[in-house]
Amino acid sequence: MRIGMALNYSGGFKETVAALADYEKAGLDIVFVAEAYSFDAVSQMGYIAAKTERLQIASGILPIYSRTPTLLAMTAAGMDYVSDGRFTLGLGASGPQVIEGFHGVPYTAPLGRTREVVEICRQVWKRERLTYEGKHYTVPLPAGQGTGLGKPLKIINHPVRDRIPIVIAAIGPKNVELSAELAEGWEPIFYMPEKAADVWGASLAAGKARRDPSLGELDVIAQAALAIGDDVSDWLELGRPMAALYIGGMGAKGKNFYNDLARRYGYEKEAEQIQNLYLDGKKDEAAALVPQELLEKMSLIGSEGHVRDRLQAMRESGVTTVNVAPLGHTHDERVRLIERVRELAS
């Protein structure tokens, strides 16, 4: 089981990247860099590539709507080049509030667009002259939709790899099925190993039934807060505001994918109440209603024996990479957590 970490640079990006060297030495395998509506992820990942040696680097995630498919392919190839083949392209649809509200692009056909983006990227990396006729993307642009001067081109440089790993962030049934069919990896959010099979099992099975064997086994990337000790339960409370933000505030009513997931986990009443309170501006009250079981089951917080058991539960449910958020009062404490969870996972 690989150990990953999402980069949290709220305290300063350069300072955080300087600390990554210690995590790399401690056994961290891969770091994910988010792109929501803050700084772009690509410039940050290039900086990380220059400051690390072994660490895998992944976008977590690049939205499919904010760049053309060809630019996504070029960006991934460029990142793979500067990192000497250490890059993973994490893709996702994001949501309509960000895509339409910040990028000004219609949030349409996320499933179909994701499939076409993946297919175009892989064609570009093989240095084929790019011709693609899809429902959502046509390259070159056909006659009548431009000057008529477009012609099939291939990427000038030779990519380090002609098959850069793709991870798709997905939680909806059809999106998860697509991930299991097309991608090297799948990244859900709020992963509860005990309920994963009930919620996603059918989708994963349907996607894997159409999976190209050359893709290998699906890398399942779960996220979990990490604290190891006999008196660390207070760290669980840090997860409440974030869970309430996603379940309650990441999308309008009827258009919140995370609220839908909480309902599918069996928390229908709580999901409804959290959303109502959050959208009314009562964020603390919403956070208080996040189920304790949800916080506990999707984290690695507790005694060493408890964390070992939770890692085993993740492994048995299919997880191959656990993306941890080490919780400690000092940098040294967080580094030691990476070292220990690395040992427990192996």
Side-chain angles (χ1 to χ4, degrees):
M1 184 182 286
R2 291 193 306 173
I3 301 299
M5 184 173 72
L7 193 73
N8 183 344
Y9 51 90
S10 58
F13 178 75
K14 292 182 179 179
E15 294 80 359
T16 300
V17 174
L20 264 182
D22 294 331
Y23 291 120
E24 185 176 35
K25 292 175 184 176
L28 189 70
D29 295 302
I30 185 168
V31 63
F32 289 77
V33 182
E35 182 177 277
Y37 41 97
S38 182
F39 294 142
D40 79 289
V42 180
S43 59
Q44 323 258 32
M45 291 187 295
Y47 186 85
I48 292 171
K51 296 292 184 178
T52 56
E53 298 176 358
R54 176 192 58 82
L55 196 64
Q56 298 287 312
I57 304 165
S59 53
I61 50 121
L62 295 183
I64 60 170
Y65 293 93
S66 55
R67 297 167 175 87
T68 66
T70 314
L71 180 56
L72 283 166
M74 293 165 61
T75 298
M79 269 303 308
D80 206 44
Y81 174 74
V82 299
S83 66
D84 295 320
R86 292 186 284 139
F87 181 65
T88 293
L89 176 60
L91 297 173
S94 186
Q97 287 190 327
V98 173
I99 299 306
E100 296 184 356
F102 194 64
H103 294 288
V105 177
Y107 188 85
T108 58
L111 198 65
R113 289 181 184 278
T114 300
R115 177 181 292 276
E116 294 187 14
V117 165
V118 170
E119 292 173 349
I120 291 170
C121 281
R122 287 177 175 157
Q123 190 175 338
V124 169
W125 298 331
K126 290 179 181 178
R127 298 195 75 241
E128 300 172 355
R129 292 195 180 275
L130 183 58
T131 59
Y132 189 88
E133 293 186 15
K135 183 177 179 180
H136 308 287
Y137 302 103
T138 302
V139 187
L141 199 64
Q145 293 188 29
T147 64
L149 298 177
K151 63 179 182 178
L153 299 172
K154 63 181 179 181
I155 189 170
I156 295 173
N157 297 83
H158 290 256
V160 175
R161 294 177 290 176
D162 65 4
R163 192 61 169 269
I164 296 169
I166 292 175
V167 168
I168 297 177
I171 55 177
K174 290 298 183 182
N175 303 69
V176 172
E177 183 177 333
L178 180 75
S179 303
E181 176 192 351
L182 284 186
E184 278 84 1
W186 165 55
E187 184 178 12
I189 193 172
F190 298 153
Y191 187 89
M192 292 180 67
E194 288 81 2
K195 297 189 178 184
D198 292 337
V199 172
W200 292 305
S203 297
L204 290 170
K208 288 179 180 179
R210 298 190 300 273
R211 186 176 180 82
D212 185 337
S214 69
L215 287 171
E217 292 297 318
L218 183 68
D219 183 19
V220 178
I221 304 163
Q223 303 172 19
L226 172 68
I228 303 174
D230 296 324
D231 188 23
V232 296
S233 59
D234 287 351
W235 287 113
L236 273 175
E237 293 302 306
L238 290 182
R240 285 190 180 278
M242 183 63 71
L245 166 64
Y246 277 78
I247 296 170
M250 282 289 196
K253 281 200 170 187
K255 293 292 184 181
N256 183 323
F257 311 130
Y258 314 102
N259 191 276
D260 292 343
L261 176 60
R263 293 171 186 270
R264 292 164 65 201
Y265 274 159
Y267 304 120
E268 293 92 348
K269 179 180 178 182
E270 294 90 340
E272 177 76 16
Q273 293 174 328
I274 290 169
Q275 188 173 55
N276 288 338
L277 287 168
Y278 205 96
L279 295 179
D280 284 343
K282 300 175 181 178
K283 297 180 181 180
D284 292 340
E285 292 93 329
L289 291 181
V290 173
Q292 185 74 11
E293 181 189 46
L294 178 62
L295 295 173
E296 292 174 353
K297 291 293 180 65
M298 67 181 188
S299 71
L300 296 170
I301 296 177
S303 67
E304 187 170 293
H306 174 77
V307 170
R308 184 183 289 109
D309 290 344
R310 296 309 301 155
L311 285 169
Q312 183 60 25
M314 287 185 171
R315 183 180 288 109
E316 290 175 355
S317 74
V319 172
T320 49
T321 298
V322 58
N323 219 13
V324 301
L327 303 174
H329 296 291
T330 67
H331 173 64
D332 288 342
E333 287 180 11
R334 293 187 286 273
V335 171
R336 285 195 294 271
L337 281 170
I338 295 296
E339 291 175 338
R340 192 65 192 119
V341 77
R342 171 75 276 168
E343 294 169 0
L344 293 174
S346 60

